[in-house]
Amino acid sequence: TQLLEQSPQFLSIQEGENLTVYCNSSSVFSSLQWYRQEPGEGPVLLVTVVTGGEVKKLKRLTFQFGDARKDSSLHITAAQPGDTGLYLCAGVLDSSYKLIFGSGTRLLVRP
Amino acid sequence: DTGVSQDPRHKITKRGQNVTFRCDPISEHNRLYWYRQTLGQGPEFLTYFQNEAQLEKSRLLSDRFSAERPKGSFSTLEIQRTEQGDSAMYLCASSLAGQSNVLTFGAGSRLTVL
Protein backbone atom coordinates (compact mmCIF):
# COMPACT_ATOMS: atom_id res chain seq x y z
CA THR A 1 0.00 0.00 0.00
CA GLN A 2 1.34 3.38 -1.04
CA LEU A 3 1.64 5.84 1.83
CA LEU A 4 0.97 8.73 -0.54
CA GLU A 5 -1.73 8.14 -3.15
CA GLN A 6 -1.78 10.37 -6.19
CA SER A 7 -4.69 10.85 -8.54
CA PRO A 8 -5.20 10.73 -11.36
CA GLN A 9 -2.39 8.43 -12.46
CA PHE A 10 -2.51 9.77 -16.00
CA LEU A 11 -3.98 12.94 -17.47
CA SER A 12 -4.12 13.98 -21.12
CA ILE A 13 -5.49 17.45 -21.78
CA GLN A 14 -5.55 20.11 -24.45
CA GLU A 15 -3.34 23.18 -24.24
CA GLY A 16 -5.11 25.97 -22.37
CA GLU A 17 -7.13 23.72 -20.07
CA ASN A 18 -6.89 23.74 -16.30
CA LEU A 19 -6.14 20.68 -14.18
CA THR A 20 -5.75 19.56 -10.59
CA VAL A 21 -3.64 16.71 -9.27
CA TYR A 22 -4.24 15.29 -5.81
CA CYS A 23 -1.97 13.70 -3.24
CA ASN A 24 -3.63 11.98 -0.28
CA SER A 25 -2.53 10.08 2.79
CA SER A 26 -3.84 8.88 6.13
CA SER A 27 -0.55 9.97 7.73
CA VAL A 28 0.50 13.42 8.90
CA PHE A 29 3.49 14.99 7.19
CA SER A 30 5.75 17.67 8.61
CA SER A 31 6.26 18.93 5.08
CA LEU A 32 5.15 18.04 1.62
CA GLN A 33 6.77 18.71 -1.72
CA TRP A 34 5.96 18.57 -5.39
CA TYR A 35 8.51 17.53 -7.98
CA ARG A 36 8.41 17.37 -11.76
CA GLN A 37 10.37 14.73 -13.59
CA GLU A 38 11.10 14.46 -17.29
CA PRO A 39 12.04 11.19 -19.01
CA GLY A 40 15.63 10.14 -18.29
CA GLU A 41 16.13 12.81 -15.65
CA GLY A 42 15.90 13.06 -11.88
CA PRO A 43 12.99 14.81 -10.13
CA VAL A 44 13.25 18.58 -9.85
CA LEU A 45 11.76 20.31 -6.83
CA LEU A 46 8.90 22.71 -7.59
CA VAL A 47 7.72 23.71 -4.11
CA THR A 48 7.76 22.81 -0.43
CA VAL A 49 4.78 23.42 1.85
CA VAL A 50 5.12 23.10 5.61
CA THR A 51 2.08 24.72 7.25
CA GLY A 52 -1.39 23.20 7.27
CA GLY A 53 -3.64 25.22 4.97
CA GLU A 54 -0.69 26.83 3.22
CA VAL A 55 -1.15 27.93 -0.39
CA LYS A 56 1.80 28.72 -2.64
CA LYS A 57 1.73 30.04 -6.17
CA LEU A 58 4.42 29.60 -8.76
CA LYS A 59 3.33 31.38 -11.95
CA ARG A 60 0.50 29.20 -13.31
CA LEU A 61 0.93 26.54 -10.60
CA THR A 62 -0.92 26.69 -7.28
CA PHE A 63 -0.04 24.30 -4.47
CA GLN A 64 -2.13 23.72 -1.38
CA PHE A 65 -1.33 21.79 1.80
CA GLY A 66 -4.35 20.40 3.64
CA ASP A 67 -5.28 21.79 7.06
CA ALA A 68 -4.49 18.46 8.71
CA ARG A 69 -1.21 18.10 6.75
CA LYS A 70 -2.36 14.78 5.26
CA ASP A 71 -3.03 15.87 1.70
CA SER A 72 -2.04 18.32 -0.97
CA SER A 73 -3.12 19.48 -4.41
CA LEU A 74 -1.43 20.97 -7.43
CA HIS A 75 -3.51 23.12 -9.76
CA ILE A 76 -2.22 24.22 -13.16
CA THR A 77 -3.97 27.04 -14.99
CA ALA A 78 -3.90 27.27 -18.78
CA ALA A 79 -1.65 24.24 -19.24
CA GLN A 80 1.06 24.39 -21.87
CA PRO A 81 2.88 21.57 -23.71
CA GLY A 82 5.98 22.44 -21.68
CA ASP A 83 4.09 21.33 -18.54
CA THR A 84 4.17 17.73 -19.80
CA GLY A 85 5.94 15.41 -17.38
CA LEU A 86 5.62 13.22 -14.31
CA TYR A 87 4.43 15.12 -11.23
CA LEU A 88 5.42 13.59 -7.92
CA CYS A 89 4.33 14.52 -4.44
CA ALA A 90 6.67 13.61 -1.60
CA GLY A 91 6.45 14.05 2.11
CA VAL A 92 8.49 13.83 5.28
CA LEU A 93 6.65 12.14 8.12
CA ASP A 94 6.67 13.81 11.54
CA SER A 95 9.84 12.77 13.45
CA SER A 96 11.46 11.46 10.28
CA TYR A 97 14.08 12.61 7.85
CA LYS A 98 13.16 10.32 4.97
CA LEU A 99 11.35 11.65 1.91
CA ILE A 100 8.53 9.32 0.79
CA PHE A 101 7.19 9.64 -2.74
CA GLY A 102 3.79 9.09 -4.24
CA SER A 103 3.37 7.01 -7.38
CA GLY A 104 3.14 10.06 -9.61
CA THR A 105 0.75 11.65 -12.10
CA ARG A 106 1.81 11.57 -15.70
CA LEU A 107 0.60 14.70 -17.49
CA LEU A 108 0.42 15.12 -21.25
CA VAL A 109 -0.55 18.51 -22.62
CA ARG A 110 -1.45 18.32 -26.31
CA PRO A 111 -0.81 21.38 -28.50
CA ASP B 1 28.48 22.32 -12.38
CA THR B 2 27.60 22.14 -8.69
CA GLY B 3 24.73 19.67 -9.00
CA VAL B 4 24.57 15.97 -8.11
CA SER B 5 26.46 13.80 -10.60
CA GLN B 6 25.82 10.13 -11.25
CA ASP B 7 27.85 7.71 -13.29
CA PRO B 8 27.23 5.81 -15.46
CA ARG B 9 23.99 7.20 -16.83
CA HIS B 10 23.13 3.90 -18.46
CA LYS B 11 24.29 0.36 -17.76
CA ILE B 12 23.26 -2.81 -19.56
CA THR B 13 24.42 -6.03 -17.99
CA LYS B 14 23.71 -9.72 -18.08
CA ARG B 15 21.97 -11.47 -15.22
CA GLY B 16 24.44 -12.60 -12.58
CA GLN B 17 26.97 -9.82 -13.18
CA ASN B 18 27.94 -7.21 -10.60
CA VAL B 19 27.40 -3.50 -11.23
CA THR B 20 28.51 -0.39 -9.36
CA PHE B 21 27.07 3.11 -9.55
CA ARG B 22 28.76 6.25 -8.31
CA CYS B 23 27.23 9.44 -6.95
CA ASP B 24 28.98 12.73 -6.36
CA PRO B 25 26.76 14.96 -4.22
CA ILE B 26 26.80 18.73 -3.90
CA SER B 27 30.04 19.37 -2.03
CA GLU B 28 28.63 21.06 1.07
CA HIS B 29 25.79 18.54 1.49
CA ASN B 30 26.41 16.06 4.28
CA ARG B 31 23.36 13.86 3.66
CA LEU B 32 23.19 11.49 0.72
CA TYR B 33 20.28 9.29 -0.32
CA TRP B 34 19.79 6.46 -2.79
CA TYR B 35 16.38 5.81 -4.33
CA ARG B 36 15.18 3.29 -6.91
CA GLN B 37 12.52 4.10 -9.47
CA THR B 38 10.80 1.59 -11.73
CA LEU B 39 8.81 2.55 -14.80
CA GLY B 40 5.61 4.41 -14.00
CA GLN B 41 6.30 4.58 -10.27
CA GLY B 42 7.63 7.15 -7.84
CA PRO B 43 11.11 6.77 -6.36
CA GLU B 44 11.46 4.29 -3.46
CA PHE B 45 13.88 4.97 -0.63
CA LEU B 46 16.84 2.57 -0.45
CA THR B 47 19.36 4.00 1.99
CA TYR B 48 20.71 7.19 3.53
CA PHE B 49 24.05 8.50 4.78
CA GLN B 50 24.95 11.34 7.05
CA ASN B 51 28.61 12.02 6.31
CA GLU B 52 30.20 8.56 6.10
CA ALA B 53 27.68 6.83 8.38
CA GLN B 54 24.94 4.74 6.78
CA LEU B 55 22.01 5.47 9.08
CA GLU B 56 19.17 3.54 7.49
CA LYS B 57 18.65 0.79 4.95
CA SER B 58 15.27 -0.04 3.45
CA ARG B 59 14.01 -3.62 3.44
CA LEU B 60 14.11 -3.22 -0.34
CA LEU B 61 17.89 -3.35 -0.06
CA SER B 62 18.60 -7.07 -0.14
CA ASP B 63 21.93 -8.66 0.80
CA ARG B 64 23.01 -8.28 -2.82
CA PHE B 65 22.99 -4.51 -2.47
CA SER B 66 25.68 -2.56 -0.66
CA ALA B 67 26.26 1.16 -0.44
CA GLU B 68 29.27 3.03 0.86
CA ARG B 69 30.33 6.59 1.43
CA PRO B 70 33.90 6.08 2.64
CA LYS B 71 35.03 9.67 3.11
CA GLY B 72 31.69 11.32 3.49
CA SER B 73 31.86 12.70 -0.02
CA PHE B 74 31.01 10.48 -3.01
CA SER B 75 29.02 7.28 -2.62
CA THR B 76 28.86 3.96 -4.45
CA LEU B 77 25.96 1.55 -4.78
CA GLU B 78 26.94 -1.99 -5.76
CA ILE B 79 24.55 -4.70 -6.86
CA GLN B 80 25.95 -8.22 -6.86
CA ARG B 81 24.57 -11.11 -8.91
CA THR B 82 22.10 -8.87 -10.70
CA GLU B 83 18.59 -10.14 -11.45
CA GLN B 84 16.13 -8.92 -14.06
CA GLY B 85 14.03 -7.42 -11.28
CA ASP B 86 16.90 -5.06 -10.48
CA SER B 87 16.27 -3.21 -13.74
CA ALA B 88 15.36 0.33 -12.70
CA MET B 89 16.58 3.90 -12.48
CA TYR B 90 18.85 4.38 -9.45
CA LEU B 91 18.63 7.95 -8.21
CA CYS B 92 21.02 9.69 -5.85
CA ALA B 93 20.13 12.84 -3.94
CA SER B 94 21.86 15.03 -1.40
CA SER B 95 20.85 17.60 1.19
CA LEU B 96 22.08 19.60 4.13
CA ALA B 97 21.50 18.06 7.55
CA GLY B 98 19.18 20.83 8.66
CA GLN B 99 17.17 20.72 5.46
CA SER B 100 16.42 17.06 5.04
CA ASN B 101 13.27 17.84 3.08
CA VAL B 102 15.14 19.77 0.41
CA LEU B 103 16.76 17.16 -1.77
CA THR B 104 18.67 17.78 -4.96
CA PHE B 105 18.55 14.78 -7.25
CA GLY B 106 21.01 13.60 -9.84
CA ALA B 107 19.91 12.53 -13.30
CA GLY B 108 20.02 8.87 -12.28
CA SER B 109 21.71 5.71 -13.47
CA ARG B 110 19.48 3.47 -15.55
CA LEU B 111 20.20 -0.24 -15.15
CA THR B 112 18.95 -2.86 -17.60
CA VAL B 113 19.56 -6.48 -16.68
CA LEU B 114 19.18 -8.89 -19.59
Side-chain angles (χ1 to χ4, degrees):
Chain A
T1 303
Q2 199 88 19
L3 197 58
L4 279 167
E5 296 283 350
Q6 284 190 240
S7 61
Q9 288 185 314
F10 180 74
L11 193 55
S12 177
I13 61 170
Q14 203 71 35
E15 182 177 3
E17 293 182 356
N18 301 333
L19 67 116
T20 302
V21 175
Y22 299 92
C23 177
N24 294 295
S25 178
S26 57
S27 299
V28 176
F29 290 89
S30 60
S31 68
L32 206 139
Q33 303 178 317
W34 286 90
Y35 289 79
R36 180 166 154 249
Q37 185 178 22
E38 299 197 28
E41 300 294 328
V44 175
L45 180 65
L46 296 174
V47 77
T48 299
V49 284
V50 296
T51 306
E54 182 175 1
V55 177
K56 278 194 176 178
K57 291 191 174 183
L58 189 67
K59 296 183 181 178
R60 294 176 294 101
L61 278 59
T62 302
F63 305 87
Q64 185 162 6
F65 200 11
D67 291 342
R69 293 187 289 131
K70 293 181 178 181
D71 55 84
S72 180
S73 64
L74 157 60
H75 182 79
I76 301 179
T77 304
Q80 299 175 0
D83 295 329
T84 293
L86 179 67
Y87 288 83
L88 295 158
C89 68
V92 178
L93 291 168
D94 278 345
S95 71
S96 175
Y97 48 78
K98 192 166 62 178
L99 197 61
I100 298 168
F101 282 85
S103 54
T105 294
R106 191 164 298 280
L107 172 65
L108 173 64
V109 182
R110 305 184 307 275
Chain B
D1 186 7
T2 57
V4 178
S5 300
Q6 292 190 244
D7 182 71
R9 291 292 311 276
H10 303 275
K11 179 71 176 178
I12 300 174
T13 192
K14 292 183 180 178
R15 190 175 51 188
Q17 298 295 304
N18 299 343
V19 296
T20 299
F21 301 115
R22 175 180 170 126
C23 172
D24 287 89
I26 293 173
S27 55
E28 60 266 30
H29 284 183
N30 50 4
R31 287 189 175 169
L32 187 147
Y33 307 79
W34 284 98
Y35 283 81
R36 181 174 69 186
Q37 186 177 26
T38 53
L39 205 60
Q41 298 297 316
E44 297 171 295
F45 173 82
L46 292 179
T47 189
Y48 143 79
F49 291 86
Q50 178 150 325
N51 301 314
E52 67 276 8
Q54 187 174 17
L55 298 186
E56 184 172 342
K57 289 171 60 172
S58 164
R59 280 173 287 182
L60 292 174
L61 218 62
S62 76
D63 292 344
R64 297 184 297 105
F65 287 70
S66 62
E68 294 182 344
R69 195 183 183 197
K71 297 180 181 178
S73 56
F74 73 91
S75 176
T76 58
L77 176 68
E78 182 184 15
I79 309 174
Q80 296 182 324
R81 304 181 303 282
T82 53
E83 301 173 356
Q84 286 184 326
D86 297 333
S87 295
M89 174 79 89
Y90 290 86
L91 292 163
C92 175
S94 67
S95 73
L96 289 167
Q99 299 179 357
S100 58
N101 63 342
V102 183
L103 271 59
T104 301
F105 280 86
S109 292
R110 179 165 295 284
L111 173 65
T112 301
V113 182
L114 303 176

